[in-house]
Amino acid sequence: MGLLDGKVVIVTGGGHGIGRAYCLGIAREGGTAVVADIDEKAADGVAKAIKDSGGKSLATKVDVANFSSCQEMAQKTLAAHGKIDGLVNNAAIFMSVPAEKGSWQEITEEAWDRIMAVNVKGLWLSSRAVVPAMQQRKQGSVVNISSNMAFNGGLTMMHYVTSKAAVVGFSRVLARELGPDNIRVNTLAPGATMSEEK
């Protein structure tokens, strides 16, 4: 018996890196990993790897910065499995989708806006699309992925660090708002993680 037997969990950014590791872990614990990624080929590859090892998975393309795309992700999951038990808001611009680097004065406005659109707005839009299905059942869990850089800074990465600090504030508010619906909201702040071979 796995810890997640019968649970359906969406992982945004699940096609690469630490998101891929989350998906594999969910499947190992008996859950259905919904691998959601803007890189559809990568999402398909992770879902296939899970199925090939006897696990349960579903691949879906998502652009977390686009609400209709997030809604399609939720609807596809509900159509296939009838419920959503968990959401891991992991999609971010950093490694597999590289962030432009520079001192705080050198970062371009375009790079700043792109990071905020995915790393901050993306959390909000994914949650808006997925959480109503949890509220209907009065149960669920949302895990938002921050970074230890939110607490110790990171040279040449002010936009990324700021976005990951925003995740903490977002989670605190969401936890208070969703508590009455019996939905847990937590934040993870991983350090540097070797999660994918290049």
Side-chain angles (χ1 to χ4, degrees), residues 3-26:
L3 291 172
L4 297 174
D5 280 350
K7 302 293 187 183
V8 177
V9 183
I10 296 173
V11 180
T12 66
H16 292 280
I18 201 168
R20 179 179 186 273
Y22 295 148
C23 289
L24 295 173
I26 289 162

Side-chain angles (χ1 to χ4, degrees), residues 27-28 30-33 47-57:
R28 269 196 310 274
T32 298
K48 183 180 185 305
I50 289 170
K51 287 175 182 170
D52 287 350
S53 65
K56 298 185 280 292
S57 66

Side-chain angles (χ1 to χ4, degrees), residues 8-141:
V8 177
V9 183
I10 296 173
V11 180
T12 66
H16 292 280
I18 201 168
R20 179 179 186 273
Y22 295 148
C23 289
L24 295 173
I26 289 162
R28 269 196 310 274
E29 290 297 332
T32 298
V34 179
V35 188
D37 205 291
I38 198 164
D39 182 345
E40 193 170 14
K41 185 177 176 184
D44 288 339
V46 174
K48 183 180 185 305
I50 289 170
K51 287 175 182 170
D52 287 350
S53 65
K56 298 185 280 292
S57 66
L58 172 71
T60 185
K61 181 172 182 175
V62 68
D63 174 0
V64 297
N66 180 289
F67 186 49
S68 64
S69 181
C70 293
Q71 288 178 306
E72 286 171 22
M73 169 185 72
Q75 288 160 4
K76 184 174 179 181
T77 303
L78 290 169
H81 298 289
K83 65 172 186 167
I84 301 170
D85 297 290
L87 169 65
V88 180
N89 277 315
N90 169 72
I93 293 174
F94 181 53
M95 291 295 281
S96 56
V97 182
E100 179 183 309
K101 296 182 181 182
S103 77
W104 71 276
Q105 290 174 307
E106 294 167 341
I107 294 167
T108 65
E109 190 173 350
E110 291 76 18
W112 182 279
D113 289 346
R114 186 165 171 256
I115 286 262
M116 295 303 162
V118 173
N119 297 13
V120 182
K121 185 182 176 186
L123 289 186
W124 175 54
L125 295 181
S126 293
S127 299
R128 279 184 66 198
V130 171
V131 167
M134 298 180 190
Q135 289 174 303
Q136 286 178 356
R137 297 172 62 233
K138 294 292 184 185
Q139 62 183 45
S141 177

